[in-house]
């Protein structure tokens, strides 16, 4: 059985193409069943995210062209609109690709961890749809193991490579326990959402989202067990913030030296970390003159990010070595499957001979044959039955000068001495 991948991602296609090939979560089961039914693949799973759509299939007869035809029909798209953006992998190429995707080596942000969860969801969806078989199911298990090993044995995901991640890592250096701190985030865009996500994952004690549009702040805060305030309420809540991260589109500063100074007095000079990720800046530069205030701008974090990227690139080289090893392990498992049917048939043949001989021996005992004589007969008969066919085949191999077969038999049965 061949293992195929057909896909499109952020490096091969613009978002306008990717979004037209995406699969909604609530329609994934029907899509999988349709794929198995109409393309005649034996196994199937679909990974669909904002950055990639990939079909993973186990097939005896289906080809990548069959998958392309199905994709065009399912989405109602002309082939020439998306085919130039596709890539395909087969067998060892599929195995390596899945491992690299799961480890974040094929991601927009090198080493990002979210993709592993998305692959696990793809596995779960295929499992619930009943479209996973032995080969694809085992490949997913090996994929999860490879990703875990890369995460454990390398620093692929430990260094900050986004300003949001860098801001949270900075907070962790300043405060021993984020679970005891309050974070106030100003804005509701992508950067603030990512910062909120990182803080939530690190167990922040309290999360407040402030935004000019209250509904946006509320929608974001609800995702991370926080609460929302309007931007006009910011001065009243500022003293509560141990950590403040701001990223708005304002053309003028929204936080001045006076407001921060008042907040510090209300906090009895308990330190505050202020991170300004906006351009133009949200926080007046004069704020850095205040005692007990740590003010960082996006420029301050760029060196941290560059170091993080360097660290992740080095870790990526280690990850590729681990993946090489894990690919070989899975290929060895696949090769072993080629012998499974032969082993099963050989066992069934031996068990059939055993059952037949045992039945005759038991009948002999019932007819009054001495137990010792019946056992000797059983041992002799069973030995002859088991070795008869291999002996006949080896004799024929000798007559036809199949020395390779004779050598293989000696290795298979671990025969000592000269052939």
């Amino acid at each position: 059985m061949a293992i195929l991948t057909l896909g499109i991602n952020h490096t091969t296609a613009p978002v306008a193409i990717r979004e037209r090939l995406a699969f909604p979560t609530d329609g994934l089961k029907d899509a999988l069943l349709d794929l198995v039914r109409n393309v005649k693949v034996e196994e199937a799973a679909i990974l669909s995210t904002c950055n990639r759509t990939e079909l993973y299939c186990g097939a005896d007869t289906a080809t990548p062209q069959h998958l392309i035809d199905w994709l065009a029909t399912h989405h109602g798209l002309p082939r020439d609109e998306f085919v130039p953006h596709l890539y395909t992998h087969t067998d060892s190429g599929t195995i390596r690709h899945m491992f690299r995707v799961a480890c974040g080596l094929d991601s927009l942000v090198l080493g990002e961890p979210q993709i592993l969860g998305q692959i696990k969801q793809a596995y779960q969806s295929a499992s619930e749809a009943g479209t996973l078989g032995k080969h694809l199911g085992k490949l997913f298990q090996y994929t999860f193991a490879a990703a875990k090993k890369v995460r454990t044995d390398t620093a692929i995901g430990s260094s900050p490579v986004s300003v949001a991640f860098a801001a949270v890592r900075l907070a962790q250096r300043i405060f021993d326990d984020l679970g005891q701190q309050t974070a106030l985030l100003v804005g509701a865009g992508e950067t603030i959402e990512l910062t909120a996500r990182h803080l939530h994952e690190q167990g922040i004690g309290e999360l407040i989202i402030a935004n000019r549009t209250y509904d946006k702040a509320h929608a974001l805060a609800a995702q991370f067990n926080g609460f929302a305030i309007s931007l006009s309420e910011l001065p009243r809540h500022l003293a509560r913030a141990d950590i403040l991260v701001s990223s708005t589109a304002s053309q003028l500063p929204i936080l001045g030296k006076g407001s921060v100074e008042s907040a510090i007095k209300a906090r009895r000079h308990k330190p505050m970390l202020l991170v300004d990720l906006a351009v133009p800046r949200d926080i007046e530069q004069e704020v850095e003159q205040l005692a007990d205030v740590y003010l960082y701008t996006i420029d301050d974090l760029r060196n941290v990010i560059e170091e993080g990227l360097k660290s992740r690139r080095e870790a990526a080289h280690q990850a590729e070595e681990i993946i090489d090893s894990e690919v070989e392990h899975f290929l060895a498992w696949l090769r072993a499957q080629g012998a499974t049917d032969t082993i099963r048939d050989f066992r069934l043949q031996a068990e059939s001979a055993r059952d037949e001989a045992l039945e005759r021996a038991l009948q002999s005992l019932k007819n009054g044959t001495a137990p010792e004589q019946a056992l000797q007969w059983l041992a002799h008969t069973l030995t002859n039955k088991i070795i008869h066919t291999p002996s006949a085949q080896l004799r024929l191999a000798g007559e036809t000068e199949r020395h390779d077969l004779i050598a293989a038999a000696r290795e298979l049965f671990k025969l000592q001495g000269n052939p």
Side-chain angles (χ1 to χ4, degrees):
M1 175 184 291
I3 303 177
L4 309 175
T5 299
L6 179 76
I8 192 170
N9 67 19
H10 60 279
T11 64
T12 68
V15 66
I17 299 295
R18 298 200 307 272
E19 64 188 6
R20 298 179 72 187
L21 290 175
F23 290 85
T25 302
D26 57 3
L28 205 51
K29 180 179 179 180
D30 289 340
L32 285 164
L33 294 175
D34 186 61
L35 175 58
V36 170
R37 180 171 56 250
N38 289 318
V39 185
K40 305 301 181 185
V41 295
E42 283 65 41
E43 308 179 36
I46 298 174
L47 172 65
S48 186
T49 74
C50 58
N51 283 329
R52 71 179 64 243
T53 292
E54 295 182 340
L55 311 181
Y56 306 123
C57 299
D60 286 328
T61 58
T63 66
Q65 186 58 51
H66 292 126
L67 299 180
I68 291 171
D69 292 342
W70 177 82
L71 203 56
T73 301
H74 185 83
H75 286 291
L77 290 175
R79 290 162 180 76
D80 58 2
E81 287 192 14
F82 67 89
V83 168
H85 303 282
L86 293 175
Y87 49 84
T88 62
H89 300 289
T90 305
D91 296 333
S92 62
T94 287
I95 299 164
R96 183 177 302 280
H97 177 74
M98 281 188 68
F99 288 1
R100 295 187 78 255
V101 169
C103 295
L105 298 181
D106 195 54
S107 295
L108 184 61
V109 177
L110 180 64
E112 60 91 6
Q114 287 81 12
I115 187 63
L116 179 57
Q118 292 165 333
I119 291 178
K120 288 182 176 179
Q121 184 56 55
Y123 168 81
Q124 184 65 33
S125 297
S127 181
E128 291 174 358
T131 59
L132 283 182
K134 179 172 69 173
H135 292 82
L136 209 52
K138 182 65 72 172
L139 177 55
F140 271 102
Q141 295 303 322
Y142 270 76
T143 298
F144 301 148
K148 181 179 179 181
K149 188 171 181 61
V150 166
R151 292 280 165 190
T152 301
D153 295 357
T154 76
I156 190 69
S158 62
S159 303
V161 292
S162 69
V163 289
F165 192 0
V168 174
R169 185 54 58 89
L170 185 61
Q172 289 177 306
R173 292 176 183 171
I174 293 175
F175 300 103
D176 292 334
D177 182 8
L178 292 186
Q180 302 299 315
Q181 314 305 319
T182 294
L184 173 55
L185 308 185
V186 185
E190 183 179 345
T191 298
I192 290 298
E193 179 178 355
L194 191 54
T195 303
R197 186 178 305 280
H198 288 316
L199 285 168
H200 182 70
E201 290 173 351
Q202 297 304 318
I204 190 70
E206 186 177 28
L207 187 63
I208 306 170
I209 309 288
N211 191 54
R212 198 174 305 278
T213 305
Y214 175 81
D215 288 345
K216 288 184 178 179
H218 178 71
L220 182 57
Q223 295 182 46
F224 305 107
N225 299 324
F227 73 91
I229 61 173
S230 65
L231 203 57
S232 61
E233 297 178 276
L234 184 59
R236 288 198 292 116
H237 293 271
L238 190 56
R240 299 175 58 183
D242 303 296
I243 303 160
L244 182 142
V245 181
S246 186
S247 179
T248 75
S250 175
Q251 295 302 301
L252 296 173
I254 60 174
L255 204 57
K257 181 180 178 182
S259 349
V260 177
E261 190 170 21
S262 298
I264 283 291
K265 288 179 181 178
R267 290 169 59 82
R268 298 180 181 179
H269 294 275
K270 183 181 176 183
M272 291 179 72
L273 168 64
L274 307 182
V275 183
D276 188 351
L277 302 180
V279 179
R281 286 181 285 188
D282 282 338
I283 303 173
E284 287 183 350
Q285 186 175 354
E286 290 75 15
V287 169
E288 65 184 2
Q289 299 169 5
L290 298 173
D292 305 310
V293 174
Y294 301 91
L295 174 61
Y296 291 83
T297 68
I298 193 168
D299 286 343
D300 296 322
L301 299 184
R302 278 177 179 151
N303 288 336
V304 177
I305 293 169
E306 186 54 41
E307 285 299 314
L309 283 170
K310 180 180 178 183
S311 174
R312 288 201 181 194
R313 291 188 197 106
E314 292 171 354
H317 289 299
Q318 297 175 285
E320 295 285 7
E321 293 176 359
I322 292 172
I323 287 172
D324 286 342
S325 175
E326 295 302 310
V327 167
E328 283 305 313
H329 289 162
F330 186 73
L331 287 174
W333 179 84
L334 275 181
R335 288 191 292 268
Q337 303 316 297
T340 299
D341 290 346
T342 300
I343 293 170
R344 184 193 63 235
D345 292 344
F346 182 58
R347 179 177 291 277
L348 288 173
Q349 185 183 71
E351 289 175 348
S352 176
R354 176 203 63 197
D355 293 343
E356 182 182 346
L358 180 59
E359 183 179 355
R360 292 181 60 185
L362 290 173
Q363 187 62 47
S364 178
L365 286 171
K366 290 179 182 179
N367 293 337
T369 303
E372 182 178 348
Q373 183 180 349
L375 284 173
Q376 288 179 343
W377 179 90
L378 176 63
H380 176 76
T381 301
L382 191 55
T383 300
N384 282 344
K385 282 182 173 291
I386 290 175
I387 70 172
H388 172 73
T389 300
S391 297
Q393 292 299 107
L394 284 170
R395 194 173 295 111
L396 179 60
E399 294 172 357
T400 56
E401 297 186 349
R402 287 288 309 278
H403 303 300
D404 59 323
L405 192 57
I406 295 172
R410 297 194 70 84
E411 181 178 351
L412 184 64
F413 297 116
K414 293 187 176 180
L415 302 179
Q416 304 299 318
N418 296 323

